[in-house]
Amino acid sequence: MLEKAREWIREARSVAVLTGAGISAESGVPTFRGPGGLWRQYRPEELATPEAFRRDPRLVWEWYDWRRQRIAQARPNAGHEALVRLERSKPRFWLITQNVDGLHERAGSRRVIKLHGDIWLVRCVACGREQRDERVPLPELPPRCACGGLLRPGVVWFGEALPPGAWEAAEQAVREAEVLLVVGTSAVVYPAAGLIPLAQACGARVIEVNPEETAMSARLDCSLRGPAGVILPALIPSEPNVQTG
Ligand code: BJW
Ligand code: ZN
């Protein structure tokens, strides 16, 4: 299986990658679902919503403040680094991520499409002003804008639209891809998970890297079972591929 997947990746000139929380798990960033996916007694579906924020902005901010601290302490791992090598070896490449932690960019990835926003952005619910704020912990919860309005994290919650242009860019990347590599996502959140059947409908081979079976495993060409920090370095060699033809 691994050998076949290596060959598909080696031969492809156009590659797309879809990542989820699992790629950052080995960096110490908790995933949403499965073991370690709970914060206090809450499920992410109860906190990552506009309704939860309206009801209790302080509670939602406590969760984000805790995650921001975990992310600030984290370093990119061998999985993030392998994807940087892959990007550098391909003439056409896009890394589509559901993650808000910024670890792909910190590892050196450049062609990144962020579907669910960025945990280091804050946006005023009153005047709409958005800014970067990397302070951990935040001095005041919930934080406030200079205009007095409440600030919210610059991320995409359930029921909200993706950032302008992000979905179109992701769809385009997947339509063009000969190979889609799906790493560390449970593939239950849409529209992101819909990129997998789209890639297949457009003729791409889809390779999954995940220690567990997922909602999409049964329909995929190849599922590699194991942690991203182990499988991705084995899949993507250290020497950049020389592209011919
Ligand atoms: C490892 C590992 C290791 C562990 N190595 N792997 C169609 C059908 C049904 C529902 C919908 C639909 N279309 C839309 C919906 C509704 C909804 C949805 O999908 N609901 C489902 C849950 C049922 N979607 C939305 O609401 C989306 N918006 C939308 O559709 O808007 C429409 C609209 C249009 C126009 C105007 C207005 C509206 C938005 C979805 C936003 C999701 N937001 C979150 C929070 C982001 C901010 C934050 O970080 O706090 O995104 S929720 C959370 O889930 C987060 C993640 O990005 C996302 C996906 O999770 P992910 O990454 O897959 O993580 P896990 O934890 O689930 O899985 C981790 C995996 O890693 C596991 O498989 C492990 O095995 C594995 N793993 N260790 C590799 N070492
Ligand atoms: Zn404001």
Side-chain angles (χ1 to χ4, degrees):
M1 268 301 206
L2 183 72
E3 219 14 79
K4 200 67 197 149
R6 279 178 76 134
E7 190 184 313
W8 292 342
I9 291 175
R10 193 168 56 238
E11 287 172 357
R13 291 173 53 79
S14 176
V15 172
V17 182
L18 172 66
T19 65
I23 194 165
S24 297
E26 290 155 89
S27 294
V29 180
T31 60
F32 292 92
R33 298 165 189 87
L38 283 182
W39 174 76
R40 300 189 190 163
Q41 70 273 38
Y42 301 98
R43 292 182 303 118
E45 287 77 3
E46 297 173 273
L47 294 166
T49 71
E51 294 73 31
F53 187 72
R54 271 197 295 275
R55 199 182 316 124
D56 195 343
R58 187 183 164 87
L59 174 74
V60 171
W61 262 116
E62 281 173 4
W63 182 48
Y64 279 94
D65 201 40
W66 172 76
R67 289 174 55 208
R68 285 162 57 107
Q69 295 180 48
R70 296 289 293 258
I71 293 164
Q73 288 160 6
R75 298 284 165 268
N77 64 54
H80 296 103
E81 284 160 9
L83 295 180
V84 177
R85 289 201 298 280
L86 185 60
E87 172 174 342
R88 292 182 181 156
S89 73
K90 294 295 171 191
R92 292 199 300 281
F93 179 92
W94 282 105
L95 171 47
I96 305 159
T97 188
Q98 301 169 80
N99 298 348
V100 298
D101 59 27
L103 287 180
H104 286 303
E105 293 93 326
R106 278 170 59 192
S109 290
R110 290 293 166 261
R111 297 176 68 82
V112 182
I113 299 168
K114 292 160 81 97
L115 293 181
H116 293 164
D118 185 329
I119 202 166
W120 301 111
L121 291 178
V122 295
R123 187 167 71 245
C124 177
V125 299
C127 72
R129 182 163 169 242
E130 191 166 76
Q131 57 191 306
R132 240 184 140 69
D133 187 339
E134 297 187 358
R135 288 175 298 170
V136 285
L138 284 163
E140 179 200 6
L141 293 184
R144 291 201 171 261
C145 177
C147 83
L150 265 184
L151 290 169
R152 59 160 284 177
V155 300
V156 180
W157 286 328
F158 286 111
E160 294 185 322
L162 306 194
W167 178 250
E168 293 73 11
E171 242 186 4
Q172 179 67 18
V174 160
R175 283 182 195 286
E176 283 180 11
E178 293 154 52
V179 167
L180 174 67
L181 184 58
V182 180
V183 185
T185 177
S186 56
V188 295
V189 172
Y190 285 79
L195 292 169
I196 297 167
L198 176 66
Q200 290 183 309
C202 296
R205 296 194 200 272
V206 182
I207 303 163
E208 177 181 63
V209 176
N210 198 309
E212 309 287 338
E213 193 171 321
T214 72
M216 292 285 169
S217 297
R219 58 181 298 159
L220 300 184
D221 299 289
C222 172
S223 288
L224 301 172
R225 292 271 163 264
V230 174
I231 303 283
L232 289 179
L235 202 53
I236 300 157
S238 297
E239 289 300 306
N241 289 336
V242 176
Q243 289 293 319
T244 52

